Amino acid sequence: MAKSPETEHPQKAFGWAARDSSGVLSPFNFSRRENGDEDVTIKIHFCGICHSDLHAIKNEWGFAHYPMVPGHEIVGIVMKSGKNVEKFREGDRVGVGVMVGSCMSCDYCNQDLENYCPKMIFTYNSVYHDGTANYGGYSDMIVVDQHFVVRIPDAMPFDAGAPLLCAGVTVYSPMKYYGMTEPGKHLGIVGLGGLGHVAVKIAKAFGLKVTVISHSPGKETEAVDRLGADGFLVSSDPLKIKAAFGSMDYIIDTVSSVHALTPLLALLKPNGKLITLGLPDKPLELPIFPLVLGRKLVGGSDIGGMKETQEMLDFCAKHNITADVEVIPMDQVNVAMARLAKSDVRYRFVIDVANSLSK
Amino acid sequence: TQHTLIRQSSRSNVRLRPIPNHQLTHYVRSSTLYINPHSHSLQCPNRPHSERDSRKEISDSIYISVEFSSNPVREKQRKMVANQPEKEHPVPAFGLAARDPSGVLSPFNFSRRATGEKDVKFKVMYCGICHSDLHMVKNEWGTSTYPLVPGHEIVGEVTEVGSQVEKFKVGDRVGVGCMVGSCRSCDNCSNGVENYCPKMILTYAGTYHDGTITYGGYSNVMVCDEHFVVRVPDALPLDAAAPLLCAGITLYSPLRYYGLDKPGIHVGVVGLGGLGHVGVKFAKAMGAKVTVISTSPAKKQEAIERHGADSFLVSRDQEQMQAAMGTLDGIIDTVSAVHPIMPLIGLLKTHGKLVLVGAPEKPLELPVFPLLMGRKIVGGSCIGGMKETQEMLDFAAKHNITADIEVISADYVNTAMERLEKGDVKYRFVIDVAKTLQQG
């Protein structure tokens, strides 16, 4: 007997869900599991809108299950903690990111790399250990295993801290893994959106020289004057790009549409690294001789482990880094998605769930 | 001469006006492809066979620049003396040269410079035939100048050293690989990776510091700056050591750089030719478990019994490839024809590395999801620096690693080139220069 989303679990929940690949979100009644011994029940205050939410609700990657409640940049207050939970108490300010589960026994899980566990469970559009569908943070509350909950530092504001749970760790992790933290080295950041703008801030905190590469000339003032980038290149300006050939130690590419890698590889010095974080829906074209002639590499990275996510939050709190956000009420979420599709946001929408989600 | 920057993006085809010479800036060689046949610039020794049309493919997909000589006088000088190769330098020399893109080699008289203070002069005993030589004699990459004397796997005995030479003396067994010069002052040169110096000078078809064309090892004598000469350890036979100077270092360097040299690591080698067979030997000596990946099932026996590979995967066999997914820590891909890399990325474990040392001219499809989900990388590598080349030879001597060769006489060279084109060699031809190369 198939249970409906409302009756599946004992705790009533309410959120907004997409029902089909049109991606239009609308009010949705469902339920959350009982708070288990390892679990924490969180009243959600804010949830960031990640571009992945847009890809997911429109089934652009082809593995959508509806109804889909997106949202994996969740911050809120602990309402209840299970009897084995020691890290969190009622009233704590906590966050949940892109994962809510993993096998917890493989090599990757044991090395704090839950994000690379073959059985890793996404916060939404996935299936939990008990076989039920996971619903994300565009909702009033969530029940999560304590291992996948992080503390939001006291110094960090809730709304502007929410996007760090995906965007923040997604750029912080590769910077550490690929060795992009040596002060004075030159990092290029492609795309000045949700990921890109956080990357600029974190890179500056690491002492790197930062050049933003963007297709929008209008973003130069923001990039340089407000975010602190050292330089700005318009990707459609061949002469300026050419003049910068061979000048960068690494590049972080946040662009999620299909785009040319050749000019980016040319911007790298020999032994340079191009790390791609965006998830286009088609393969990219990779020219090989620039890789061979300059011993360059293209690498990927996918969010970060739980330990690293906490480390990132603490690092950001210490350096006063938060996302630049536009806080919106829940009923504006479809408008926000339409604007996001046109990159019309500086630089992350954050839904004020607690104050605007009404049944 | 004109300088034209051509860019083609997915949004529009933009052809800019020719830029006047005085407005041009220096190009970073490692990031641009020069297709001007008069340019003297960076070429990868390991670039593959291609059709003439591939030049257009290249220009359609990348930023290219057509270079002009930064010294117009030199260009003119070069053109003048190119007609008199015998008179260019004081020391008479002879070798085999291709005269045109037919690629046919014939006896050629030319000259070498006098032994400078830092130079080492040596009698060439053997020279390996690298597949790059075949591409170059046929001008398949568009960078060849004729007459062209190929050969960058050169070994011999020192006959004279300059007054400031410290590392070598007369009688020493030495070798020269793919480079004979670099700027010696940039970061790359200071860090022992002269192969990534923007001003690196190739052993043949390059332009030396004095403006003259470099001629390679299909010749009786070489004069080379001591910095670019390596010692061939006594334990290595000269003839079977020659191919290590290109094929050997091309595999050794990425195994070290990408951390695929740890005991117990599982490494894949794609392609079992001149590069691949040496790669298997090095990887085994470094303690790796080695799987050869090839399109030819017929190579399996040799791979395992002769070269010591632990296993063999036929890349066209879906079932085999599927069963091996997620088993390799790294892959060195020596194949230079266009081929799909998605199955290779699938063979890698999480954090695995795919390293390409052959460079197809057309871009390959890069599936992004597997790269991200497994935090994998795709990288490249091109020969190695001088220090590392010496280290590689010493390692080879210690572990008894040489290439599997077929020694040929100089007059067989054109037949050898034809056989090489068909992959009909186990696994490198080596020309017995000292005994069979005769003056033209």
Side-chain angles (χ1 to χ4, degrees):
Chain A
M1 178 193 68
K3 289 195 166 173
S4 72
E6 279 190 71
T7 55
E8 224 171 8
H9 297 292
Q11 302 199 66
K12 278 196 169 37
F14 173 71
W16 280 48
R19 315 296 210 196
D20 55 44
S21 62
S22 70
V24 172
L25 296 147
S26 55
F28 173 62
N29 288 313
F30 62 108
S31 50
R32 297 281 189 193
R33 67 176 183 272
E34 194 64 59
N35 198 72
D37 294 338
E38 301 288 334
D39 288 335
V40 169
T41 296
I42 302 166
K43 173 175 158 67
I44 298 177
H45 280 225
F46 295 96
C47 184
I49 298 186
C50 177
H51 205 125
S52 302
D53 298 346
L54 181 53
H55 292 307
I57 57 181
K58 294 198 158 194
N59 195 21
E60 283 174 14
W61 296 322
F63 49 85
H65 285 283
Y66 299 102
M68 184 192 304
V69 176
H72 56 211
E73 297 182 338
I74 308 165
V75 296
I77 304 284
V78 175
M79 293 199 298
K80 212 189 307 178
S81 55
K83 81 175 193 297
N84 292 340
V85 176
E86 291 171 2
K87 289 192 293 177
F88 304 107
R89 292 189 325 265
E90 231 177 286
D92 280 352
R93 299 165 89 238
V94 295
V96 175
V98 184
M99 310 182 275
V100 291
S102 71
C103 83
M104 303 287 293
S105 59
C106 70
D107 282 345
Y108 300 109
C109 289
N110 291 336
Q111 291 172 56
D112 303 311
L113 293 171
E114 300 88 348
N115 47 326
Y116 297 112
C117 167
K119 300 204 170 103
M120 185 264 281
I121 301 172
F122 288 115
T123 300
Y124 67 86
N125 194 31
S126 57
V127 172
Y128 201 58
H129 298 300
D130 62 9
T132 61
N134 285 312
Y135 298 112
Y138 293 20
S139 59
D140 56 359
M141 56 88 104
I142 190 169
V143 179
V144 183
D145 183 308
Q146 63 165 324
H147 187 84
F148 295 91
V149 177
V150 284
R151 183 180 310 282
I152 304 292
D154 292 333
M156 181 177 286
F158 245 3
D159 50 4
L164 296 177
L165 288 157
C166 178
V169 71
T170 298
V171 300
Y172 181 87
S173 182
M175 283 193 209
K176 303 281 315 245
Y177 181 69
Y178 289 103
M180 306 180 191
T181 54
E182 226 181 302
K185 295 280 188 179
H186 190 178
L187 168 69
I189 295 171
V190 188
L192 196 65
L195 255 53
H197 89 288
V198 170
V200 174
K201 297 185 190 196
I202 293 181
K204 291 308 296 173
F206 277 130
L208 301 172
K209 174 178 166 191
V210 174
T211 295
V212 170
I213 301 141
S214 168
H215 62 232
S216 329
K219 293 188 177 181
E220 177 159 7
T221 322
E222 277 271 319
V224 175
D225 296 342
R226 208 164 67 71
L227 295 169
D230 300 278
F232 188 92
L233 286 175
V234 181
S235 43
S236 51
D237 182 344
L239 287 180
K240 288 236 174 82
I241 295 267
K242 189 179 65 70
F245 277 177
S247 64
M248 298 178 190
D249 295 284
Y250 356 84
I251 292 178
I252 285 184
D253 184 355
T254 73
V255 174
S256 56
S257 54
V258 169
H259 59 291
L261 293 181
T262 309
L264 300 179
L265 289 170
L267 287 169
L268 288 171
K269 294 177 184 169
N271 302 317
K273 303 171 189 174
L274 168 59
I275 307 309
T276 173
L277 304 176
L279 286 166
D281 52 0
K282 293 195 174 56
L284 299 180
E285 278 200 345
L286 178 68
I288 305 298
F289 43 78
L291 293 185
V292 172
L293 295 189
R295 194 161 64 177
K296 299 177 184 178
L297 63 87
V298 178
S301 183
D302 186 31
I303 41 173
M306 291 320 301
K307 182 157 172 258
E308 195 167 36
T309 306
Q310 186 66 65
E311 181 190 299
M312 175 276 306
L313 285 173
D314 297 335
F315 178 89
C316 288
K318 178 169 164 208
H319 294 271
N320 251 328
I321 295 172
T322 54
D324 293 356
V325 299
E326 183 175 330
V327 181
I328 60 157
M330 182 59 107
D331 61 9
Q332 292 299 296
V333 70
N334 290 308
V335 176
M337 287 296 189
R339 282 180 52 196
L340 180 58
K342 288 183 266 150
S343 304
D344 174 22
V345 54
R346 286 210 162 102
Y347 288 91
R348 261 304 201 240
F349 288 111
V350 171
I351 304 170
D352 186 349
V353 174
N355 288 331
S356 69
L357 188 66
S358 51
K359 294 194 198 288
Chain B
T1 41
Q2 296 230 306
H3 217 109
T4 311
L5 179 66
I6 301 167
R7 171 192 137 257
Q8 184 159 332
S9 76
S10 57
R11 279 178 240 114
S12 64
N13 296 345
V14 175
R15 184 161 241 169
L16 304 183
R17 291 178 292 106
I19 301 170
N21 291 352
H22 63 274
Q23 287 178 11
L24 285 160
T25 55
H26 170 70
Y27 288 86
V28 177
R29 295 158 67 113
S30 64
S31 57
T32 53
L33 176 70
Y34 293 82
I35 63 164
N36 185 334
H38 296 300
S39 81
H40 319 124
S41 58
L42 190 69
Q43 302 145 35
C44 172
N46 293 318
R47 276 202 247 137
H49 176 77
S50 71
E51 276 114 30
R52 299 283 158 84
D53 288 347
S54 65
R55 268 199 260 168
K56 178 167 188 309
E57 291 277 350
I58 295 168
S59 67
D60 283 357
S61 67
I62 61 158
Y63 285 85
I64 65 163
S65 74
V66 176
E67 195 210 38
F68 73 117
S69 167
S70 57
N71 182 343
V73 172
R74 241 192 233 172
E75 173 80 29
K76 204 168 151 193
Q77 259 177 3
R78 191 185 65 74
K79 284 189 176 152
M80 279 163 50
V81 300
N83 294 328
Q84 308 174 68
E86 287 177 271
K87 299 203 177 144
E88 223 172 11
H89 296 294
V91 177
F94 57 89
L96 296 166
R99 315 300 189 149
D100 57 44
S102 71
V104 171
L105 294 148
S106 54
F108 172 63
N109 292 324
F110 63 108
S111 50
R112 294 285 187 196
R113 65 177 184 270
T115 308
E117 289 173 331
K118 301 217 170 130
D119 284 336
V120 169
K121 179 168 158 187
F122 65 94
K123 173 182 154 89
V124 177
M125 304 297 283
Y126 298 96
C127 187
I129 298 186
C130 177
H131 207 125
S132 307
D133 299 345
L134 181 53
H135 297 308
M136 285 298 288
V137 297
K138 296 193 164 198
N139 194 22
E140 283 174 4
W141 297 328
T143 56
S144 303
T145 60
Y146 296 99
L148 192 148
V149 176
H152 56 211
E153 297 183 337
I154 318 167
V155 293
E157 282 171 12
V158 177
T159 55
E160 190 185 349
V161 297
S163 58
Q164 290 189 20
V165 168
E166 291 169 9
K167 292 192 288 176
F168 302 104
K169 54 183 201 307
V170 172
D172 280 351
R173 301 158 95 239
V174 294
V176 168
C178 304
M179 313 182 270
V180 290
S182 71
C183 85
R184 309 293 301 277
S185 57
C186 69
D187 279 347
N188 296 302
C189 289
S190 309
N191 289 329
V193 282
E194 301 87 349
N195 48 323
Y196 300 114
C197 168
K199 298 200 172 111
M200 186 262 280
I201 302 170
L202 290 172
T203 300
Y204 64 85
T207 306
Y208 203 60
H209 300 298
D210 61 2
T212 61
I213 292 189
T214 53
Y215 293 117
Y218 293 21
S219 60
N220 66 321
V221 61
M222 284 289 294
V223 177
C224 185
D225 183 308
E226 92 170 305
H227 186 83
F228 295 91
V229 177
V230 284
R231 181 180 311 285
V232 179
D234 292 336
L236 290 178
L238 273 185
D239 54 0
L244 297 179
L245 289 158
C246 179
I249 185 61
T250 295
L251 266 291
Y252 183 88
S253 185
L255 285 168
R256 291 278 190 222
Y257 179 70
Y258 288 99
L260 300 176
D261 56 348
K262 317 274 176 275
I265 266 201
H266 192 170
V267 172
V269 176
V270 186
L272 197 65
L275 258 51
H277 90 287
V278 169
V280 172
K281 298 186 195 201
F282 276 123
K284 288 302 299 173
M286 289 170 180
K289 176 174 165 191
V290 177
T291 296
V292 170
I293 301 146
S294 168
T295 52
S296 334
K299 293 190 177 182
K300 179 172 178 177
Q301 198 176 1
E302 285 255 325
I304 295 182
E305 293 173 16
R306 186 158 156 185
H307 304 301
D310 297 277
S311 59
F312 189 92
L313 279 177
V314 180
S315 46
R316 293 197 181 128
D317 183 330
Q318 297 259 22
E319 270 184 43
Q320 274 186 33
M321 292 291 279
Q322 190 80 351
M325 278 182 74
T327 57
L328 302 178
D329 295 285
I331 296 175
I332 309 268
D333 184 352
T334 72
V335 173
S336 47
V338 167
H339 59 291
I341 55 172
M342 182 145 119
L344 299 176
I345 293 175
L347 289 175
L348 293 170
K349 295 176 185 171
T350 298
H351 298 132
K353 302 166 193 175
L354 170 60
V355 183
L356 293 132
V357 294
E361 272 143 13
K362 293 187 214 242
L364 303 183
E365 265 194 8
L366 177 72
V368 179
F369 264 83
L371 215 63
L372 262 67
M373 295 303 171
R375 195 155 62 175
K376 300 177 183 180
I377 64 166
V378 179
S381 185
C382 186
I383 45 173
M386 292 319 301
K387 182 157 172 271
E388 194 170 35
T389 306
Q390 185 67 65
E391 184 190 295
M392 176 276 302
L393 284 175
D394 298 336
F395 181 89
K398 180 168 166 204
H399 294 272
N400 251 328
I401 296 173
T402 54
D404 291 7
I405 61 174
E406 182 178 327
V407 181
I408 61 158
S409 69
D411 58 14
Y412 191 75
V413 74
N414 289 309
T415 311
M417 288 292 197
E418 280 168 29
R419 284 179 51 196
L420 180 58
E421 188 138 33
K422 291 182 257 149
D424 174 22
V425 55
K426 283 191 173 135
Y427 286 79
R428 257 309 198 238
F429 289 112
V430 172
I431 306 172
D432 187 343
V433 172
K435 295 210 193 81
T436 67
L437 182 66
Q438 310 204 326
Q439 191 140 10

